[in-house]
Amino acid sequence: MRFADFPFLRYLPFILAGIFWGQTGWSPGLESLSLLLGLLWLAYLIVISIQLKSRIAFNPSPLAYLALIAFGALLVQNKQVHSEFSPSISNAESYLAEVTMYDQQKPNSFENLLEVKSVQINGGWQNSQGKVLIYHRSDNPLVPGQILLVKKKPEGIERPKNPHEFDYRQYLARQGIYYRQFLGKDFLVIDSVGNSGFGYFLVHLRHTIGEMLKTKIPDPNSSQIALALLLGQKKELDPTIREAYTQAGVMHILAVSGLHVGIIYALFILILKPLKLKKDKARIYLLFVILIIWLYAFLTGLSPSVVRAATMFSLLTFGQMRERRPSIYNILAFSAILMITINPDVIYEVGFQLSYLAVLGIVIIQPLILNLWLPRYKVLEYIWQLTSVSLAAQLVTFPLSLYYFHVFPTYFLLGNLLILPLAFLIMQVGVPLMIFGWIPFLGDGLGLVLSWLIWLQNWIAEAIRLIPGGKMDRLTMDFPGMILVWGMLLIIASWEYGSKRKLTWMGLFLLFVWAGTQLYQELKVPSKELIIYQGKKSQLFDFSISGDVYSWNQGIEEGEISYSVDPNRVKNHWPQISKSMSGIQDSTGGLEFLEAEFKLFPKEEKLRFSAAPNSINFWSEGNWRALPISDSLLIDSIAYRILF
């Protein structure tokens, strides 16, 4: 097996390098990159032409790889230039916008997404474009295609105030959403446009199928799971049910993914053999299967894992039609390049990263695990195959899961062994229900069977949740740790094929680099550190001294602590519940803390230090930035880090 045999796998790293380059401040603009790309391809063609005519050994590969890098940067610049965003929305006195989705129920309101069409500035109207995420309390639900008149200026989305807090602004920006607004009932529905396009057809179809599932499945908890598992609509999931599936290690089955596409693909392919179709008719049937797969992908919202699976199964099916078996690595790389070309920001989506890692783990690691034991009986063989798939996927994805979510499900093997077969049965019943649910008796019968199967699945997930020690949380892994794990897995996978001497040295090198980064991080930990977190109305102080952490809460609520304060505590391996600082009020109205080296004046929102600190930093754009050193500090609307 040679790396040269996988062309798309060779192209992918250069396109990714170009995307990272295109997102830096020193990347050329769209016109310059277009010119550079054209010149590189022209030079490539000239070299090829000279090579063919004179038979002189020129290697044109560097030019091609440089062109791929330029292509990656061009994708980024093109998206930035043509992004659906107009700064004029920020200055709008009023705006007209089109409703693009059905309402999503929130605790105290309904969520919807508007597409801005025009804005009013200084009394005049002008065309504009952009997306506004709204929350309303209208008595009448909003329907896609309605035109709203909003007599308010939408609000920009704030950047995260605190260290390592989830960047909701960036998350929405990658979906083209730069504004949000609470409307209440303060808007008018003034018109409705024709919604005969394919996009509206899918929105209405998804909504119709979802409402039908709710009516045909009698158990409310079962209908929630059906909407998530079949249509990818997870926003209505009960938190208790969500937690049960998380602890069982099977939350991935509730996010429509490659697993679901694979089940639908298998369902239709299994029917092919009993039909005994001739070649021409079999090819027509396979084209129909590809059409069904992509219709399901569009219906469920084109998530990265679904697009990846739909592309892969389409290419496999085309290979089957031509009686060929294409390389899984080429298919994976091609599907990734296709998705990146459509949206270069997709590489930052967790679903995209986990999806490709899981498939790579199954392709590379699962055969090694499977060969460790050869069961004598069919039942044991089936269980071992399912176990090996779960282990392989978990081994490769757990570093990224710890990096993002800081949780590891202890009983993931038990959950996968018991719940995945049930999920397969649920899809076997659920897909026919989605198609034939409108038929009175058939739809009711399928709904009852599906409700019972999902009830059983929920019961198993809840039973696993009640087992003590169901999850290990507050775990974390940095980038060097992830590289170490993935590198070691690759070394193990290559052990029988490569040079054991080189692989051993590579493993030792990875261990040395990882140990060096850990030592460096440990040496960087200050002996005394004060973090000031900003809440909506007040602050919270974390003071770390020689490994002990003391806190003082000025009034941040518990729910706010979980997303504003806890991410930094997890990152620094600090306890979730720290010791309380002892504050003593003096005659000047200040609070003096016995454990710390500063005094707080709450009314003035000011800190005064006993001695000038070594450094004062504020949190901005994902980094700590230095401030002039002083013996006092006004604690306003940003987070601070003070080192003593």
Side-chain angles (χ1 to χ4, degrees):
M1 184 176 70
R2 299 178 309 158
F3 191 57
D5 296 331
F6 309 105
F8 292 108
L9 195 59
R10 286 187 287 126
Y11 304 155
L12 182 58
F14 294 97
I15 295 175
L16 290 175
I19 288 173
F20 296 136
W21 177 40
Q23 292 171 338
T24 61
W26 40 274
S27 168
L30 183 62
E31 294 80 6
S32 300
L33 283 169
S34 300
L35 178 62
L36 176 62
L37 183 60
L39 291 174
L40 284 169
W41 279 119
L42 180 62
Y44 178 83
L45 292 174
I46 291 172
V47 169
I48 291 290
S49 177
I50 293 172
Q51 191 175 29
L52 290 173
K53 289 179 180 179
S54 63
R55 301 190 180 276
I56 299 174
F58 285 109
N59 183 9
S61 298
L63 290 171
Y65 292 138
L66 286 173
L68 289 172
I69 293 173
F71 175 69
L74 185 68
L75 291 175
V76 175
Q77 294 298 321
N78 182 64
K79 183 177 181 183
Q80 290 177 358
V81 169
H82 296 96
S83 62
E84 297 181 1
F85 166 69
S86 175
S88 61
I89 299 176
S90 304
N91 304 316
E93 300 158 3
S94 304
Y95 64 91
L96 289 171
E98 182 180 343
V99 179
T100 63
M101 56 185 277
Y102 285 91
D103 285 338
Q104 294 285 343
Q105 178 70 61
K106 293 294 177 181
N108 300 310
S109 62
F110 296 97
E111 181 185 273
N112 212 305
L113 184 64
L114 303 183
E115 184 79 41
V116 176
K117 299 299 181 182
S118 59
V119 295
Q120 185 183 36
I121 299 176
N122 298 327
W125 288 89
Q126 62 185 57
N127 293 333
S128 184
Q129 61 179 4
K131 296 177 181 178
V132 182
L133 189 66
I134 64 161
Y135 302 89
H136 72 91
R137 291 177 178 170
S138 174
D139 297 328
N140 300 316
L142 297 180
V143 178
Q146 290 179 329
I147 300 295
L148 305 187
L149 172 61
V150 182
K151 296 184 177 180
K152 288 182 178 180
K153 181 172 70 174
E155 304 165 1
I157 301 165
E158 289 185 352
R159 296 183 183 275
K161 296 179 180 178
N162 298 294
H164 310 297
E165 184 180 335
F166 176 66
D167 194 341
Y168 188 59
R169 181 179 184 271
Q170 187 182 67
Y171 169 76
L172 290 179
R174 286 175 178 156
Q175 302 174 50
I177 303 171
Y178 296 91
Y179 302 96
R180 64 177 173 180
Q181 190 173 24
F182 179 77
L183 296 180
K185 297 183 180 181
D186 193 11
F187 62 90
L188 291 174
V189 179
I190 62 171
D191 199 0
S192 182
V193 299
N195 45 27
S196 57
F198 183 64
Y200 279 109
F201 166 74
L202 289 174
V203 170
H204 288 296
L205 181 61
R206 188 185 304 124
H207 178 74
T208 302
I209 293 174
E211 292 301 309
M212 183 268 292
L213 290 174
K214 290 178 183 178
T215 59
K216 296 296 181 182
I217 300 173
D219 181 41
N221 288 337
S222 296
S223 66
Q224 289 180 31
I225 297 297
L227 288 172
L229 201 148
L230 297 171
L231 293 174
Q233 298 179 3
K234 297 191 295 180
K235 291 187 176 181
E236 296 185 19
L237 276 180
D238 182 87
T240 306
I241 295 176
R242 187 187 293 268
E243 179 64 18
Y245 278 80
T246 300
Q247 289 204 26
V250 291
M251 191 63 193
H252 58 279
I253 73 166
L254 300 185
V256 174
S257 62
L259 171 68
H260 303 74
V261 177
I263 291 173
I264 292 175
Y265 177 79
L267 177 64
F268 283 95
I269 292 297
L270 286 174
I271 301 172
L272 183 61
K273 286 188 178 179
L275 291 176
K276 297 181 179 179
L277 299 174
K278 293 182 179 179
K279 278 190 177 181
D280 292 340
K281 292 184 178 179
R283 286 173 180 170
I284 294 172
Y285 178 82
L286 289 173
L287 285 173
F288 170 74
V289 172
I290 293 173
L291 179 64
I292 291 294
I293 287 173
W294 280 104
L295 179 61
Y296 182 73
F298 277 100
L299 184 64
T300 54
L302 291 175
S303 69
S305 55
V306 170
V307 174
R308 186 265 308 156
T311 305
M312 287 180 61
F313 285 120
S314 298
L315 293 174
L316 286 170
T317 305
F318 282 127
Q320 188 176 349
M321 291 165 65
R322 298 180 61 189
E323 298 181 354
R324 292 184 180 180
R325 192 164 188 170
S327 163
I328 188 66
Y329 299 107
N330 258 337
I331 290 176
L332 270 173
F334 177 81
S335 64
I337 291 171
L338 178 65
M339 294 174 67
I340 289 168
T341 302
I342 296 170
N343 177 18
D345 282 340
V346 75
I347 61 175
Y348 297 105
E349 294 189 21
V350 182
F352 176 88
Q353 297 167 8
L354 288 174
S355 174
Y356 278 91
L357 280 174
V359 175
L360 283 173
I362 292 169
V363 171
I364 299 173
I365 306 297
Q366 191 259 350
L368 303 177
I369 299 173
L370 193 63
N371 290 334
L372 293 176
W373 181 41
L374 299 175
R376 296 176 57 184
Y377 304 103
K378 287 286 184 183
V379 175
L380 289 177
E381 183 182 358
Y382 168 76
I383 293 173
W384 179 236
Q385 285 182 348
L386 190 57
T387 301
S388 63
V389 169
S390 299
L391 280 171
Q394 195 68 251
L395 277 172
V396 176
T397 58
F398 90 88
L400 202 63
S401 296
L402 296 187
Y403 180 79
Y404 283 120
F405 309 117
H406 314 296
V407 175
F408 185 82
T410 312
Y411 305 119
F412 73 92
L413 269 181
L414 179 62
N416 279 277
L417 285 172
L418 296 177
I419 292 178
L420 277 184
L422 261 178
F424 183 81
L425 287 176
I426 288 168
M427 291 290 292
Q428 301 278 0
V429 178
V431 172
L433 177 59
M434 291 168 65
I435 300 171
F436 303 111
W438 57 274
I439 301 176
F441 295 107
L442 180 59
D444 294 336
L446 289 172
L448 283 171
V449 174
L450 188 62
S451 181
W452 183 83
L453 286 172
I454 295 177
W455 176 88
L456 179 60
Q457 181 176 274
N458 289 347
W459 183 84
I460 293 172
E462 180 64 21
I464 294 174
R465 186 181 75 86
L466 295 175
I467 302 174
K471 69 175 181 180
M472 295 183 285
D473 55 8
R474 302 186 68 77
L475 303 175
T476 188
M477 183 173 287
D478 56 11
F479 188 73
M482 290 193 290
I483 296 299
L484 173 67
V485 173
W486 291 330
M488 288 301 182
L489 288 173
L490 280 175
I491 288 170
I492 293 169
S494 307
W495 192 254
E496 294 298 324
Y497 308 102
S499 167
K500 293 180 174 56
R501 180 186 176 89
K502 291 180 179 178
L503 291 172
T504 301
W505 278 111
M506 187 183 298
L508 290 172
F509 173 75
L510 287 173
L511 278 171
F512 177 78
V513 171
W514 174 78
T517 58
Q518 298 307 302
L519 178 61
Y520 175 72
Q521 292 294 334
E522 194 65 30
L523 292 174
K524 278 180 61 180
V525 175
S527 58
K528 296 178 183 179
E529 176 182 13
L530 172 65
I531 304 290
I532 304 171
Y533 307 95
Q534 290 291 341
K536 293 178 181 177
K537 298 179 180 178
S538 58
Q539 299 87 25
L540 185 145
F541 300 79
D542 271 350
F543 184 67
S544 170
I545 175 170
S546 302
D548 292 325
V549 181
Y550 299 87
S551 294
W552 179 267
N553 191 351
Q554 286 280 89
I556 294 183
E557 297 178 359
E558 186 177 349
E560 202 176 347
I561 290 174
S562 64
Y563 65 82
S564 295
V565 176
D566 219 33
N568 187 63
R569 288 178 172 176
V570 172
K571 183 79 175 177
N572 290 316
H573 306 287
W574 291 351
Q576 186 174 15
I577 301 175
S578 52
K579 302 173 184 177
S580 180
M581 282 198 283
S582 305
I584 301 174
Q585 191 164 11
D586 61 15
S587 58
T588 63
L591 283 172
E592 189 167 359
F593 299 99
L594 301 179
E595 300 84 2
E597 300 178 6
F598 62 88
K599 185 185 290 188
L600 171 66
F601 296 88
K603 290 183 179 180
E604 302 172 24
E605 293 188 339
K606 187 176 183 180
L607 284 182
R608 188 175 297 280
F609 307 112
S610 304
N614 294 330
S615 70
I616 301 176
N617 303 275
F618 69 99
W619 184 258
S620 176
E621 303 287 341
N623 288 293
W624 290 113
R625 303 184 186 277
L627 282 172
I629 295 175
S630 172
D631 60 356
S632 64
L633 178 68
L634 287 173
I635 48 175
D636 46 19
S637 59
I638 56 177
Y640 292 96
R641 181 190 190 212
I642 299 97
L643 304 182
F644 298 94

